[in-house]
Amino acid sequence: MKKFLASKGILVLLLGLLLLLAACGSSEESSNEESAADDTPEQTEEENEAEETETDTEEEGNEEAGEKLVIGFSQVGAESEWRTANTKSIQDAITDAGHELKFSDAQQKQENQIKAIRSFITQKVDAIVFSPVVETGFETVLQEAKDANIPVFLADRSVDIEDDSLWTTFLGSDFVEEGRKAGNWLVEEMADEEGPVNIVELQGTVGSAPAIDRKEGFEEIIGSEDKFEIIKSQTGDFTRAKGKEVMEAFLKSDGENIDVLYSHNDDMAIGAIQAIEEYGLKPGEDIIIIGVDAVRGAFEAMADGKMNVTIECNPLFGPQLVDLIEQHFAGEELEKRIAVEESMYTMDQAEELLPTREY
Ligand code: GZL
């Protein structure tokens, strides 16, 4: 019995020893963890969160939610007041949010945009912001960005590509709706006119989303009444100089026969206004002037009685765009298409609103 008890005693002792060792081991482990924690700075709430979301966005490289991003921005050019305001809005929003900006002005050339996007890919940026100068011809380079796991955010203009996995989201205006607003204003303005109402049209850049869609929306509305006819339509490439040049040609061929100018942006309308005055007619009276963008120059022309209406196309969406980029890197699912809220402004409002205009 004693032997049994003795052996039991040794066993209990051994067990106790083992338990003691095991307990020491685990506390050693936890103290290792603690010391590891002590070695590294206290994690903030945000950094802890970031660690969780990092696994969600693992496939997008090593950026974490709330961390500094490197953002490549390929902009169309500097062709209009609108574009200048849009560039500033996006650049300021990216840098104000503490991210690094790599900027490229394509001078309205598609090949420059493709080169810029390839360069961003080589530099391994975290995200690409891109306003495509035209709707087609970007599929290959957007596939290259996707293969490099770099999300693309379309800003302002969209692309005509089947595979919408090539971009994360589109943030910009509904250009067709802008065209409809222009058409509806004209239908109302001319309600008491018998007709015919002869319209000349200054189109934006050939192949660009705003030019295609603003034409579509306008024609959808005026097509409902036979008295409206577009007698001439040509691109002014969204610039004042080209708008003036093309309007001079319209006046030369149809001068006294033109009742309305529908211009896809205010800059071309302002160029056309100069041509109309040099021709000897009164813009805003002899020829009704409809523009799009609602830039400061349009408010000045309307305040001078030389332009009748401008449909707003808001360029100041930089902060909203950066929010979307950060939401993406925080692992949030974004809508494929997000439209910017917009209005329209007429001649009688111009004087009062001009001092409030931000662009
Ligand atoms: C519209 C934008 C257009 C503007 C023009 O969102 O793409 O390009 O209407 C600019 O002024 O050139």
Side-chain angles (χ1 to χ4, degrees):
M1 184 62 171
K2 266 193 187 146
K3 262 190 188 163
F4 172 68
L5 283 176
S7 64
K8 273 204 46 106
I10 293 164
L11 199 60
V12 169
L13 204 61
L14 275 174
L15 262 175
L17 208 58
L18 279 173
L19 282 173
L20 194 64
L21 278 173
C24 285
S26 64
S27 68
E28 202 176 291
E29 223 168 82
S30 59
S31 67
N32 279 344
E33 271 163 23
E34 264 148 43
S35 63
D38 295 345
D39 295 350
T40 49
E42 199 51 34
Q43 294 237 16
T44 63
E45 187 62 28
E46 200 183 342
E47 277 161 336
N48 287 329
E49 241 172 66
E51 246 158 38
E52 280 147 40
T53 53
E54 190 178 10
T55 47
D56 305 335
T57 57
E58 214 143 50
E59 67 283 356
E60 302 234 282
N62 49 20
E63 62 293 320
E64 291 185 353
E67 269 217 348
K68 174 175 176 173
L69 298 171
V70 180
I71 300 174
F73 174 18
S74 167
Q75 178 60 295
V76 167
E79 73 282 2
S80 65
E81 281 184 61
W82 188 96
R83 185 65 56 198
T84 309
N86 180 247
T87 298
K88 185 174 184 316
S89 175
I90 295 174
Q91 288 179 331
D92 289 354
I94 289 173
T95 50
D96 291 351
H99 301 304
E100 184 185 332
L101 168 68
K102 292 183 181 296
F103 178 69
S104 155
D105 171 343
Q107 293 160 349
Q108 290 188 284
K109 292 185 177 64
Q110 177 168 40
E111 61 272 20
N112 289 346
Q113 288 203 291
I114 292 171
K115 256 189 254 158
I117 292 170
R118 287 204 166 115
S119 162
F120 294 150
I121 293 169
T122 309
Q123 296 176 71
K124 294 186 173 28
V125 298
D126 295 310
I128 291 172
V129 169
F130 170 44
S131 178
V133 61
V134 291
E135 286 191 331
T136 55
F138 288 107
E139 202 141 1
T140 306
V141 75
L142 290 179
Q143 184 61 52
E144 290 166 21
K146 181 181 178 185
D147 295 343
N149 279 324
I150 299 174
V152 173
F153 297 81
L154 295 179
D156 167 35
R157 297 184 183 178
S158 55
V159 286
D160 181 13
I161 294 179
E162 248 340 274
D163 179 4
D164 68 4
S165 73
L166 296 184
W167 67 90
T168 302
T169 189
F170 163 81
L171 172 67
S173 305
D174 180 340
F175 302 130
V176 178
E177 187 51 32
E178 291 171 352
R180 290 193 191 104
K181 284 178 185 169
N184 282 319
W185 179 86
L186 186 61
V187 166
E188 219 171 288
E189 185 69 14
M190 296 288 181
D192 303 334
E193 294 293 324
E194 272 292 296
V197 177
N198 293 327
I199 302 161
V200 293
E201 180 182 30
L202 284 172
Q203 294 183 36
T205 303
V206 176
S208 69
I212 294 165
D213 293 354
R214 284 170 185 166
K215 183 172 186 55
E216 179 191 322
F218 183 71
E219 289 177 348
E220 176 192 308
I221 300 299
I222 64 161
S224 61
E225 298 193 27
D226 293 342
K227 67 183 178 184
F228 294 112
E229 190 191 349
I230 297 179
I231 58 171
K232 284 279 187 324
S233 180
Q234 194 179 325
T235 182
D237 210 17
F238 283 132
T239 67
R240 287 190 185 197
K242 200 90 175 75
K244 182 176 186 218
E245 190 187 306
V246 174
M247 190 67 205
E248 284 163 350
F250 288 164
L251 289 161
K252 203 159 168 216
S253 61
D254 297 85
E256 305 304 325
N257 201 22
I258 298 172
D259 302 307
V260 179
L261 163 65
Y262 169 49
S263 176
H264 290 186
N265 83 333
D266 294 334
D267 282 71
M268 294 188 292
I270 291 162
I273 285 168
Q274 288 165 6
I276 293 167
E277 289 182 310
E278 287 168 10
Y279 182 80
L281 292 176
K282 287 200 184 79
E285 288 177 39
D286 300 331
I287 297 179
I288 299 282
I289 311 289
I290 304 170
V292 185
D293 280 349
V295 296
R296 174 177 296 283
F299 280 79
E300 288 161 352
M302 290 195 288
D304 292 343
K306 298 178 180 177
M307 188 167 177
N308 302 83
V309 62
T310 180
I311 311 301
E312 186 179 33
C313 176
N314 188 342
L316 306 181
F317 53 69
Q320 189 181 356
L321 178 66
V322 171
D323 284 350
L324 291 171
I325 294 170
E326 291 174 345
Q327 286 163 30
H328 170 78
F329 281 101
E332 289 178 39
E333 199 60 38
L334 300 178
E335 296 283 320
K336 213 65 193 166
R337 190 179 175 85
I338 300 161
V340 176
E341 285 302 313
E342 297 171 336
S343 178
M344 61 182 257
Y345 304 98
T346 53
M347 184 190 277
D348 56 315
Q349 297 171 288
E351 192 107 23
E352 182 202 344
L353 290 177
L354 182 54
T356 69
R357 296 303 298 166
E358 292 177 67
Y359 67 93

